[in-house]
Structures are given as C-alpha cells and as structure tokens.
Amino acid sequence: MAIEKITMPQLGESVTEGTIEKWLVQPGDHVNKYDPLAEVNTDKVTAEVPSSFTGTIKELIASEGDTLEVGEVVCTIETEGGDSAPVEEAKPAEGEKANEMPAAGAAPTKQLEGEKGSSKPAKPQGGKARYSPAVLRLAQDHDIDLNQVEGSGNEGRITRKDLLQLIESGNIPQAGGKTAQAAGATEAAEPVQQAAPQQAPTAPAAKEESIESATGDIEIPVTGVRKAIAANMLKSKHEAPHAWMMIEVDVTDLAQFRDSIKGDFKKKEGFNITYFAFFVKAISQALKEFPMMNSMWAGDKIIQKKDINISIAVASDNALFVPVIKNADEKSVKGIGREINELAQKARAGKLKSADMQGGTFTVNNTGSFGSVQSMGIINHPQAAIIQVESIVKRPVIMQGGMIAPRDMVNLCLSLDHRVLDGLVCGQFLARVKEILEKMNKENTSVY
C-alpha cells in the first residue's frame, strides 16, 4: 500500500485558490481514477476535483468551506502497490510561488542564517515574508500584523486557516506585539495625552461594517460563487477607473426581420432566435474593426487580444455566471444563438465547466431581459469594457422631414476602463455598432 496526495488543481486562468463547497466522498470510500472527489468553487464556476488514483480515501485534509491555494493537499488516498508511508507535508506546487504576492519592495524569499528549524515564515533579506493573496486580504481586513503570526504551513508559511483561527479566538496580533484585546486594555488604562504633530498616515483600507441581525431577520450564508463575484467586482471597481457612454439605436428593421423568421427558425433549429444573438454578432464585428476595445491592462503594458471571445452574463436562481462564446466574430447569428442557448442551459443546471468560463476578452450583458432601459455595468476584470444591451422600447421618434413615427429603440450602455480606452475610440466603436444594427434587415442580413 502507498499513500498518495490529491492537491487543489489549477481550475482556470490566473486562479490561485479554490473553496471546497461539498465533499462527494468520505474516508473509507473506494474510488477509481478520474472519479469526482469534491465540488470546488472558483472564479464564478463550480468544478469537480477528480481522483488521480484508484484506491481508498484515507483522510480528508480540508473541510467543506475551506479555501485552499493551488497545490495544497485536499485529501489523501491509499493505493495498492508500494509500502505504506506517512504523507509528508505538502510542498507548494511548481509555479505556486509565482502566484504569491510579495510585500512591496520584498526581495526573493531566502532563509536567513540562524533561522533553520524555525516555525516562522522564511524571511528575505528585506525582512519581509511572502504571503498569498488570500492571507494578505484577511490580514488587511482585520488589521493583523503578520510579523507576529507563526504559520503552520510548509516552512512556517502562514495559511488562511492560521488567520481564521486567530480571528475566531479574538487574539489578533497588532503592531508592537500586542493583541487587539491587549491594545484595547492598554488604551483604556493610559491617560489621554496630546498627540505630537506628525505626518498624516496613509488612510487604512475600508472595513466591512459589522451588522447584527435582529429578530425576524434572515441570515443567508455567503456561497463560494457569491464570494468570487464579490471579490472580482471589488477588484474591478478599485483598480479600473470606470467611465461611461451610451448610444441610442433604432432597431425597427431588425425587430421586424427577427419577428418574420422566429417561427420557422424554431421549427427548423429547435431553439429560439433571440435579439441578443444579433447584438452579439454586431458587437463582435465592430470589435474586429476596433481591436483596441478588445484589450486588457497589464501594468506596464496594454495587451490587445487577437481572439474575440465574448463573455455573456447568465443568471441562475442565486448566482451569476459569465461563460464565453469563443471566436464570436467567426460565427453566424445562428451559431451565436445556439451557443447562447447551450451556455444558459448549462449555467442554470450547474453544469458549466472551467473551460466554458475562460478566455473572455469583452463582455456583453443582456440587461434588457429584466426590463432595464439604462444601466452602468461593472467591468469584468481584467477586460477593458462591458456593454449593457437594454430593453427594446417602442417610442415616437421624429424622422427626417419632421414626421413622427413609432420606432423600436434600444440603449447600448458602455462601461470602459479609462486606463486602456478613451472617449474617441469608444465613441467610434459605439457609432459602428449602431450602424451595423440599423442596417440589419431582411435584405441585408442572414442568420446562417
């Protein structure tokens, strides 16, 4: 017998951690290679962690609700063949250090002389350790001095579990070696002194307000998917300077064309041809002509993406998913419509895979399906823009010659990252989308 380790896999681009949502096995269960072991939430998608071996589940290292970094051990399996040996503590997976965020100005991690055998995190020459993004977020949210924390991870690395235990105990170490409780007691005992003039400190990060529930209130646990949505939206709003533009489009001819074919199309193809498919087609065509819109901010450079992969927002009863239509500019209206239909069904059935969510370069959101006529979307980080397609509303419009006629009008609302884009290119892009849509009719447009 041999003991093998199952680690948290890399479940998507730039994904550094995942949350165990549900275990599908228990210790003692026999599993075959590739059998699902657990459901994991990450990057707005629920994926399954498969077994890499055939054998018997020995121990579940992580509990449901635990968030682990890529490469950390989630469970162990006893397999046939070889001698039984104790499992060594998990080492970081290859490339894991690249996903850890060093403190500002920190040099590469190096254990100093005299620290061998120490349980504290290895310190670089600058005196600052390297911490994962999850650890840094928790420390910032709860004012934890990481220099005062002893880690239980490999080589004394501080893990998310270490911080959660400190938070639950209330003994949160702060600067100067004091805990939060001790600091409060000291402040109460010391007489008030006039503060000496000093340089204004940097404003601390905003904390979440502690809200107590009252009788009759309903407390709803935050799921892994909702946490991922919250983290990505917060990152987008904090990092990307948002700006907004809106354009009004007359889609009367498109509406008449779509209404004239929808019945026959449904009988022939087996799914509805929606307005949204036409909008995605027009937007992907305009993106090809204005490639700067299909870009991403990368710190010291802007990356203009070659492929046009349209992210679309799909809502289930309690979550939002953003699957991707790959190479949308190369697909017909029918092809786009089929993918929209299939991705929406998979999202609502909880069957989206990590591959369905990866590679998006620009987001189109169908807010009009809820009756919205104007909205300001939050950019889907790290993309540079998102378009909200609002409701098609019949309104009286003044036509050429002063005549008033009922027309089908729609607002397209664009949110843009002002680091990457400016008003000129965005205005030209929206004008081109308007031109394409207003020319979609029975004579000029084919769905195939």
Side-chain angles (χ1 to χ4, degrees), residues 12 30 33 59 62 133 135 138 148 206 241 243 254 257 262 279 401 418 428:
H30 182 272
K33 190 174 182 179
E59 181 183 5
V135 167
L138 270 177
Q148 306 297 325
L254 171 58
F257 170 55
K262 65 180 183 180
F279 284 105
H418 227 320
Q428 293 172 337

Side-chain angles (χ1 to χ4, degrees), residues 248-320:
E248 188 178 60
V249 184
D250 185 339
V251 290
T252 305
D253 291 346
L254 171 58
Q256 292 174 351
F257 170 55
R258 181 256 181 185
D259 289 345
S260 69
I261 65 170
K262 65 180 183 180
D264 291 339
F265 185 92
K266 176 68 180 295
K267 290 178 183 178
K268 182 178 179 180
E269 305 297 340
F271 63 94
N272 290 319
I273 183 69
T274 63
Y275 290 117
F276 192 50
F278 290 95
F279 284 105
V280 171
K281 177 63 179 176
I283 291 166
S284 61
Q285 182 179 333
L287 285 172
K288 197 167 186 178
E289 299 175 25
F290 293 88
M292 195 62 190
M293 301 294 301
N294 200 48
S295 301
M296 298 181 180
W297 179 262
D300 59 346
K301 58 184 176 290
I302 294 172
I303 300 175
Q304 194 175 101
K305 304 299 287 184
K306 176 179 178 288
D307 294 335
I308 296 174
N309 299 333
I310 302 294
S311 302
I312 60 171
V314 178
S316 65
D317 290 340
N318 56 2
L320 175 69

Side-chain angles (χ1 to χ4, degrees), residues 22 65 94:
K22 180 182 179 182
E94 185 178 353

Side-chain angles (χ1 to χ4, degrees), residues 393-425:
V393 178
K394 194 172 288 292
R395 294 196 284 105
V397 176
I398 300 175
M399 310 292 290
Q400 287 184 353
M403 294 180 59
I404 298 177
R407 307 294 291 178
D408 292 299
M409 307 299 293
V410 63
N411 293 327
L412 302 182
C413 302
L414 177 73
S415 301
L416 58 116
D417 183 343
H418 227 320
R419 298 173 301 178
V420 181
L421 304 170
D422 54 37
L424 177 61
V425 66

Side-chain angles (χ1 to χ4, degrees), residues 74-379:
V74 297
C75 71
T76 58
I77 294 181
E78 189 173 38
T79 62
E80 296 184 0
D83 297 329
S84 178
V87 178
E88 296 180 0
E89 189 175 6
K91 295 182 179 180
E94 185 178 353
E96 184 181 4
K97 289 186 178 180
N99 289 330
E100 294 182 343
M101 185 182 299
T109 303
K110 183 178 180 181
Q111 193 171 30
L112 296 179
E113 186 177 355
E115 287 189 337
K116 293 181 180 180
S118 171
S119 62
K120 293 186 178 182
K123 300 285 185 78
Q125 291 181 349
K128 295 184 179 180
R130 298 171 69 90
Y131 308 110
S132 73
V135 167
L136 287 172
R137 283 197 300 269
L138 270 177
Q140 185 180 52
D141 290 344
H142 296 275
D143 287 338
I144 299 174
D145 182 3
L146 293 175
N147 291 322
Q148 306 297 325
V149 179
E150 292 192 7
S152 62
N154 185 54
E155 297 181 355
R157 184 166 58 89
I158 298 173
T159 66
R160 189 172 182 272
K161 285 184 180 179
D162 295 330
L163 298 191
L164 289 175
Q165 289 174 355
L166 287 172
I167 294 166
E168 290 175 1
S169 69
N171 295 319
I172 300 175
Q174 297 179 333
K178 297 179 180 179
T179 64
Q181 292 175 343
T186 302
E187 289 175 3
E190 292 179 351
V192 177
Q193 297 181 358
Q194 185 175 0
Q198 59 182 4
Q199 185 177 358
T202 303
K207 297 181 184 178
E208 292 184 5
E209 183 181 357
S210 178
I211 301 174
E212 299 294 333
S213 57
T215 303
D217 293 347
I218 299 175
E219 294 187 355
I220 303 172
V222 180
T223 64
V225 172
R226 178 53 56 185
K227 287 179 181 177
I229 293 171
N232 199 44
M233 294 298 97
L234 190 64
K235 184 180 182 68
S236 178
K237 287 293 287 184
H238 278 188
E239 291 189 6
H242 282 56
W244 294 270
M245 298 181 72
M246 186 180 79
I247 198 166
E248 188 178 60
V249 184
D250 185 339
V251 290
T252 305
D253 291 346
L254 171 58
Q256 292 174 351
F257 170 55
R258 181 256 181 185
D259 289 345
S260 69
I261 65 170
K262 65 180 183 180
D264 291 339
F265 185 92
K266 176 68 180 295
K267 290 178 183 178
K268 182 178 179 180
E269 305 297 340
F271 63 94
N272 290 319
I273 183 69
T274 63
Y275 290 117
F276 192 50
F278 290 95
F279 284 105
V280 171
K281 177 63 179 176
I283 291 166
S284 61
Q285 182 179 333
L287 285 172
K288 197 167 186 178
E289 299 175 25
F290 293 88
M292 195 62 190
M293 301 294 301
N294 200 48
S295 301
M296 298 181 180
W297 179 262
D300 59 346
K301 58 184 176 290
I302 294 172
I303 300 175
Q304 194 175 101
K305 304 299 287 184
K306 176 179 178 288
D307 294 335
I308 296 174
N309 299 333
I310 302 294
S311 302
I312 60 171
V314 178
S316 65
D317 290 340
N318 56 2
L320 175 69
F321 301 92
V322 191
V324 178
I325 302 172
K326 307 289 177 62
N327 302 116
D329 58 310
E330 300 175 2
K331 293 180 168 66
S332 65
V333 175
K334 171 203 163 184
I336 292 172
R338 183 181 295 280
E339 280 207 48
I340 292 171
N341 181 63
E342 291 175 351
L343 290 170
Q345 288 184 353
K346 289 171 72 174
R348 289 163 187 146
K351 295 182 179 179
L352 279 174
K353 301 298 182 182
S354 180
D356 296 325
M357 310 284 285
Q358 296 180 15
T361 60
F362 188 95
T363 298
V364 183
N365 191 8
N366 188 20
T367 45
S369 62
F370 308 113
S372 171
V373 294
Q374 185 176 344
S375 59
M376 296 187 296
I378 299 177
I379 299 165

